[in-house]
C-alpha cells in the first residue's frame, strides 16, 4: 500500500423494502483527493453517503474511515469527518454566529475555543457582516456557506459534501468550487456527490459513476473520457475538390478511419499532440480549412454511454 | 492546526441543545404565544360562559376549572414537543446532530428541557388568569407552587410520549392532528370542566380510565387539604414511570430514524 486510504468501502448494500437503493458498492478514497460520486437523481448517492457517515445502517458491507470500522467504532469514526448534507440544516431562526457557537460546543470545544473558531470561520467564509442577523434573510449561497462552515469546525481531515452546489446560481457555484479547492490545498480529503458532470470534471481526482444503486464505472475523469473515445479534431475543407487529398493526408497521421460528411472531416486523436502535424501537412499541401474545432469528449458522453439503455 | 475537542458529556450536550431550543423560542415568540393565549382564552370563555350553569357562578366554578385548564394547557404544550421534533427531523438537522460525536439522547433531552420553559409559562398564564378572575385557593402560596410543580412534571413526562409520537409519525401535520385529538379527548373526557357525578355512566367510566382525571383530582386535593395526598404521590410515581419507559423508547426511535 503506497498511498493510505481515507475510506475503504466494501460490498455496501442497502434495501428500502424491496428496492435496492445501494447494490454491492465497493470503492476506496485516497487521502488528500477529491472523490466524486456522480449519478442522476435517485441513483443512491445520498443513501451511500448516509451509510458512510453512520447515519444509516447498511444491510451488508463494511466501511472503514481512516482504518476504523464505522459500525464497531462509530463514535470515533464520527469524530474524524465533517458532513454537509444535501439540504442546508442550519437553524433559520437564529444567527450565523449562534449556529456556529452551538455546533462548536456540540463538537466538544470549550467555550473560549468555540468563540475563537466561530470568529475564524465567519471570517474565512466572508460571513462577518451578516453574522448576527437571523438566517431568514440569508441567500441560498450564504446558507450553503454557513452549512459548510459548520462541518469544518473541527477541521476534519475528511469532509463529505452531498450535492454542494445543487440549486445555487452560477456565481455562487463557482465560489463554492473555489472553497472546495481551497480545502483540498489545505490537505483535506473530500467526498462529494453531484449530478453535474462539469462539476465532477472540475473538482474530482477520482470518480465513481453510480446508477440505480450500482457502481457502473470508477476512474479519473480523464480515464473515463479516454474510454469513450478521446479527443476529436473536426474541420471543414473549403474547396470540394480538395476533400479527397485532405482525407488521404489526415489518414496518414492517425490510426483511426477519417469520418467524412460532405466537406466536413472528423478524426479521433489519441493525443492532442497529433493535431499539430495534421494541420501542418494540410497547410503545406495548400488545403485551406475552416471551422476548425478540437472537441474534448465531455463527461456527458461518458455518462450517457454508461447509463442510457439501462434505464 | 488541530482543534482541541473532547467527546462531549451528556450533561454539557444537553445543556447546549436546550440553549439552542431556547434561542429558537426567543426568536420565534409564536412558539410560546399559543400556550399563553390558550389558557387565558379557555379560562375566560369557560368561566364566564359555563360558570353559572355548571356551578352557579364564576367564583364557585373557578376551583374546578383552574386545575382543569391548567392540565389541558400542559397537554397541549407537551404535544407541541412532538410537532417540533418532527419538524427538526424533516429539516435534516438531526442528521447533522447524529453525525457529531455527541451523546445520542442530547438532542431529545435538550428539546424537552427547553420545552419545560413552555410548560412553566403556560402554568403561570393559567394560574394568573385564574387569580385575576377571583380564584383564591384556601391553602398557602407554597401549595400553589406545589401544584404548579406537579402539573409541570406531568406535562414534561407527557412530552416524552409526544416526542415518541413525533419520531414515529410520518409528517408534522399528522403529529399535529393526532396531538390535537388526544388533547381534546383527554381534557374533555375528564373531570376538568364538570363534576364526574354529572356525567352519564358510560362517560363516567371513560373519565375514570382517563389519567388526566387523576392528575386533576390530585391537584384539587392538594389545594383543598394543603397536603401531599396519595393521589398526588401516585401521579408523581406514574410520571416517573412514563419517563423511564418513554425516554429510552424515544431514543430508540431517534436512532432508528
Ligand atoms: N428512507 C427511504 N425510504 C425508502 N426509500 C428511500 C429512502 N431514502 C432513499 N430512498 C430511495 O432510494 C433511492 C436512492 O435515493 P438517494 O440515495 O436519495 O438518491 P440520490 O441521492 O442519488 O438522488 C431512491 O429511489 C429513493 O427513492
Ligand atoms: Mg441525494
Amino acid at each position: 500500500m503506497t498511498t493510505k486510504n481515507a475510506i475503504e468501502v466494501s460490498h455496501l448494500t442497502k434495501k428500502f423494502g424491496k428496492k435496492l437503493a445501494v447494490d454491492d458498492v465497493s470503492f476506496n478514497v485516497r487521502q488528500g483527493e477529491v472523490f466524486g460520486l456522480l449519478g442522476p437523481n435517485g441513483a443512491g448517492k445520498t443513501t451511500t453517503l448516509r451509510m458512510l457517515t453512520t447515519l444509516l445502517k447498511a444491510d451488508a458491507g463494511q466501511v472503514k474511515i481512516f482504518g476504523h470500522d464505522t459500525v464497531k467504532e462509530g463514535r470515533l469514526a464520527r469524530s474524524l469527518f465533517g458532513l454537509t448534507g444535501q439540504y442546508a440544516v442550519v437553524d433559520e431562526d437564529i444567527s450565523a454566529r449562534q449556529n456556529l457557537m452551538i455546533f462548536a460546543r456540540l463538537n466538544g470545544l470549550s467555550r473560549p475555543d468555540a468563540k475563537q473558531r466561530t470568529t475564524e470561520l465567519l471570517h474565512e467564509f466572508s460571513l462577518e457582516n451578516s453574522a448576527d442577523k437571523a438566517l431568514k434573510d440569508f441567500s441560498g449561497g450564504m446558507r450553503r456557506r454557513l452549512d459548510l462552515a459548520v462541518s469544518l469546525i473541527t477541521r476534519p481531515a475528511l469532509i463529505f459534501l452531498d450535492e454542494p452546489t445543487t440549486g445555487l446560481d452560477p456565481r455562487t457555484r463557482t465560489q463554492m468550487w473555489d472553497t472546495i479547492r481551497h480545502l483540498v490545498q489545505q490537505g483535506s480529503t473530500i467526498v462529494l456527490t453531484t449530478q453535474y458532470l462539469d462539476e465532477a470534471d472540475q473538482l474530482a481526482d477520482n470518480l465513481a459513476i453510480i446508477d440505480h444503486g450500482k457502481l457502473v464505472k470508477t476512474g479519473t475523469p480523464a480515464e473515463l473520457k479516454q474510454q469513450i473515445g478521446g479527443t476529436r479534431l473536426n474541420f471543414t475543407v473549403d474547396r470540394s475538390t480538395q476533400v479527397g487529398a485532405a482525407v488521404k493526408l489526415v489518414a496518414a497521421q492517425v490510426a483511426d478511419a477519417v469520418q467524412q460528411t460532405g466537406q466536413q472531416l472528423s478524426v479521433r486523436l489519441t493525443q492532442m499532440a497529433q493535431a499539430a502535424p495534421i494541420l501542418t501537412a494540410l497547410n503545406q499541401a495548400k488545403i485551406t480549412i475552416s471551422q476548425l474545432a478540437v472537441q474534448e469528449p465531455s463527461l456527458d458522453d461518458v455518462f450517457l454511454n454508461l447509463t442510457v439503455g439501462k434505464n | 492546526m488541530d482543534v482541541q475537542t473532547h467527546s462531549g458529556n451528556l450533561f454539557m450536550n444537553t445543556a447546549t441543545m436546550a440553549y439552542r431550543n431556547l434561542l429558537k423560542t426567543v426568536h420565534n415568540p409564536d412558539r410560546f404565544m399559543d400556550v399563553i393565549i390558550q389558557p387565558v382564552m379557555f379560562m375566560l370563555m369557560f368561566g364566564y360562559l359555563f360558570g353559572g350553569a355548571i356551578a352557579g357562578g364564576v367564583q364557585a366554578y373557578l376551583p374546578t376549572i383552574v386545575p382543569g385548564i391548567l392540565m389541558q394547557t400542559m397537554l397541549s404544550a407537551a404535544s407541541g414537543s412532538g410537532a417540533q421534533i418532527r419538524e427538526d427531523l424533516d429539516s435534516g438537522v438531526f442528521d447533522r446532530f447524529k453525525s457529531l460525536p455527541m451523546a445520542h439522547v442530547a438532542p431529545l433531552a435538550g428539546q424537552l428541557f427547553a420545552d419545560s420553559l413552555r410548560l412553566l409559562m403556560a402554568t403561570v398564564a393559567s394560574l394568573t388568569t385564574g387569580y385575576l378572575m377571583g380564584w383564591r385557593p384556601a391553602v398557602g402560596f407554597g401549595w400553589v407552587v406545589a401544584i404548579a410543580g406537579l402539573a409541570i412534571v406531568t406535562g414534561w413526562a407527557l412530552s416524552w410520549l409526544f416526542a415518541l409520537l413525533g419520531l414515529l409519525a410520518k409528517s408534522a401535520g399528522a403529529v399535529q392532528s393526532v396531538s390535537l385529538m388526544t388533547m381534546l379527548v383527554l381534557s374533555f373526557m375528564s373531570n376538568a370542566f364538570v363534576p364526574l357525578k354529572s356525567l352519564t355512566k358510560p362517560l363516567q367510566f371513560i373519565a375514570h380510565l382517563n389519567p388526566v382525571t387523576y392528575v386533576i383530582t390530585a391537584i384539587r386535593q392538594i389545594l383543598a387539604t394543603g397536603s401531599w395526598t396519595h393521589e398526588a404521590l401516585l401521579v408523581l410515581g406514574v410520571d416517573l414511570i412514563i419517563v423511564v419507559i418513554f425516554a429510552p423508547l424515544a431514543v430508540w426511535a431517534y436512532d432508528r430514524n
Side-chain angles (χ1 to χ4, degrees):
Chain A
M1 208 163 66
T2 44
T3 342
K4 273 215 278 182
N5 285 328
I7 310 178
E8 291 171 5
V9 181
S10 43
H11 306 292
L12 203 60
T13 302
K14 182 75 193 179
K15 263 189 185 162
F16 289 117
K18 280 190 182 147
K19 188 185 168 65
L20 256 176
V22 174
D23 185 3
D24 194 24
V25 162
S26 306
F27 59 85
N28 291 336
V29 176
R30 281 195 294 257
Q31 260 183 43
E33 76 172 354
V34 178
F35 187 87
L37 207 53
L38 173 65
N41 211 355
K45 304 182 295 295
T46 299
T47 307
T48 305
L49 222 58
R50 283 171 55 86
M51 289 191 282
L52 300 189
T53 53
T54 76
L55 295 177
L56 191 66
K57 276 201 188 80
D59 293 335
Q62 196 189 33
V63 178
K64 279 189 174 175
I65 290 187
F66 296 113
H68 302 287
D69 188 299
T70 53
V71 175
K72 290 181 199 125
E73 301 169 275
R75 198 151 165 166
L76 176 61
R78 272 196 290 279
S79 69
L80 299 174
F81 63 78
L83 164 70
T84 305
Q86 186 163 358
Y87 306 99
V89 295
V90 284
D91 266 312
E92 302 265 311
D93 305 326
I94 62 183
S95 71
R97 191 187 304 279
Q98 287 166 337
N99 264 296
L100 281 166
M101 272 305 284
I102 286 170
F103 278 105
R105 296 283 287 153
L106 290 176
N107 267 302
L109 273 70
S110 69
R111 198 181 295 275
D113 287 351
K115 226 173 216 160
Q116 192 196 339
R117 192 73 187 113
T118 296
T119 314
E120 280 169 20
L121 284 166
L122 286 170
H123 175 73
E124 262 176 62
F125 284 81
S126 336
L127 290 167
E128 289 149 310
N129 291 332
S130 358
D132 297 303
K133 286 193 206 127
L135 293 195
K136 288 190 180 94
D137 313 322
F138 270 43
S139 68
M142 281 160 91
R143 218 166 288 186
R144 259 326 196 162
R145 285 216 299 282
L146 177 60
D147 211 33
L148 181 56
V150 165
S151 51
L152 300 181
I153 287 169
T154 57
R155 297 187 210 277
L158 172 63
I159 302 158
F160 291 96
L161 303 170
D162 197 1
E163 304 204 12
T165 65
T166 301
L168 296 186
D169 60 79
R171 197 176 58 93
T172 323
R173 194 159 171 237
T174 318
Q175 275 179 3
M176 187 58 89
W177 286 359
D178 289 341
T179 307
I180 292 170
R181 289 197 186 99
H182 182 66
L183 290 171
V184 178
Q185 275 166 17
Q186 293 181 328
S188 303
T189 306
I190 293 179
V191 177
L192 62 85
T193 76
T194 181
Q195 305 183 32
Y196 304 121
L197 311 148
D198 60 329
E199 182 161 285
D201 202 3
Q202 285 277 336
L203 295 175
D205 300 308
N206 269 296
L207 273 180
I209 295 181
I210 183 168
D211 190 37
H212 285 88
K214 279 198 170 63
L215 270 200
V216 285
K217 213 83 197 173
T218 49
T220 65
E223 278 167 5
L224 293 175
K225 286 183 202 171
Q226 197 66 49
Q227 286 187 349
I228 209 72
T231 313
R232 295 197 80 84
L233 183 71
N234 303 325
F235 58 87
T236 307
V237 180
D238 287 345
R239 267 171 262 147
S240 55
T241 49
Q242 292 184 323
V243 173
V247 171
K248 251 185 226 144
L249 266 178
V250 176
Q253 304 273 351
V254 297
D256 283 24
V258 182
Q259 284 174 20
Q260 184 197 341
T261 345
Q263 282 165 243
Q264 283 175 14
L265 299 188
S266 170
V267 66
R268 196 173 81 102
L269 305 178
T270 40
Q271 289 173 2
M272 268 301 283
Q274 287 180 302
I278 293 176
L279 297 178
T280 316
L282 290 170
N283 190 29
Q284 278 168 359
K286 299 234 165 21
I287 300 174
T288 52
I289 58 169
S290 55
Q291 291 175 350
L292 175 70
V294 178
Q295 193 193 355
E296 288 272 6
S298 71
L299 272 173
D300 278 290
D301 301 329
V302 180
F303 202 56
L304 285 172
N305 188 282
L306 290 171
T307 58
V308 164
K310 292 170 185 143
N311 290 6
Chain B
M1 274 270 287
D2 254 16
V3 174
Q4 199 62 44
T5 67
H6 45 90
S7 89
N9 64 48
L10 175 62
F11 177 74
M12 226 179 66
N13 292 160
T14 303
T16 309
M17 290 303 298
Y19 170 70
R20 164 185 176 267
N21 285 291
L22 284 181
L23 268 182
K24 278 171 75 88
T25 309
V26 170
H27 284 269
N28 244 347
D30 41 316
R31 279 204 61 216
F32 57 77
M33 282 323 284
D34 58 338
V35 297
I36 292 179
I37 291 168
Q38 189 191 314
V40 173
M41 226 175 61
F42 271 81
M43 204 73 90
L44 291 172
M45 260 172 37
F46 275 76
Y48 292 113
L49 279 176
F50 304 133
I54 296 174
V58 179
Q59 289 307 311
Y61 191 36
L62 284 172
T64 303
I65 56 161
V66 169
I69 286 176
L70 177 59
M71 270 324 289
Q72 185 191 37
T73 313
M74 292 298 103
L75 269 174
S76 59
S79 66
S81 306
Q84 176 62 38
I85 281 174
R86 186 70 248 171
E87 227 169 75
D88 272 352
L89 272 180
D90 291 341
S91 79
V93 73
F94 276 2
D95 260 9
R96 175 57 73 64
F97 293 146
K98 268 196 228 175
S99 74
L100 298 176
M102 72 159 159
H104 257 195
V105 68
L108 289 179
Q111 158 96 51
L112 291 171
F113 273 108
D115 279 350
S116 46
L117 182 80
R118 262 160 64 85
L119 295 171
L120 177 67
M121 286 190 292
T123 303
V124 171
S126 306
L127 299 182
T128 309
T129 315
Y131 185 83
L132 293 177
M133 286 171 68
W135 173 63
R136 297 287 181 276
V139 291
F141 183 70
W143 288 109
V144 176
V145 173
I147 61 122
L150 184 63
I152 291 173
V153 169
T154 306
W156 195 72
L158 290 175
S159 58
W160 279 102
L161 216 152
F162 283 105
L164 179 64
L165 182 74
L167 287 160
L168 296 177
K170 287 255 184 300
S171 70
V175 182
Q176 232 135 24
S177 46
V178 173
S179 301
L180 184 67
M181 299 274 263
T182 318
M183 192 274 278
L184 287 177
V185 171
L186 286 182
S187 57
F188 284 103
M189 297 278 196
S190 76
N191 59 351
F193 303 103
V194 291
L196 283 183
K197 286 191 286 278
S198 71
L199 298 176
T200 60
K201 278 272 178 288
L203 272 182
Q204 271 193 37
F205 179 74
I206 295 175
H208 272 296
L209 291 179
N210 184 350
V212 171
T213 299
Y214 294 91
V215 186
I216 292 172
T217 305
I219 291 175
R220 288 189 189 136
Q221 283 178 349
I222 292 177
L223 289 173
T225 64
S227 64
W228 284 101
T229 60
H230 281 302
E231 256 83 358
L233 294 175
L234 182 73
V235 167
L236 277 180
V238 172
D239 288 346
L240 188 73
I241 292 171
I242 291 178
V243 175
V244 166
I245 292 175
F246 285 94
L249 277 178
V251 174
W252 164 80
Y254 168 76
D255 277 340
R256 194 197 64 131
N257 245 282

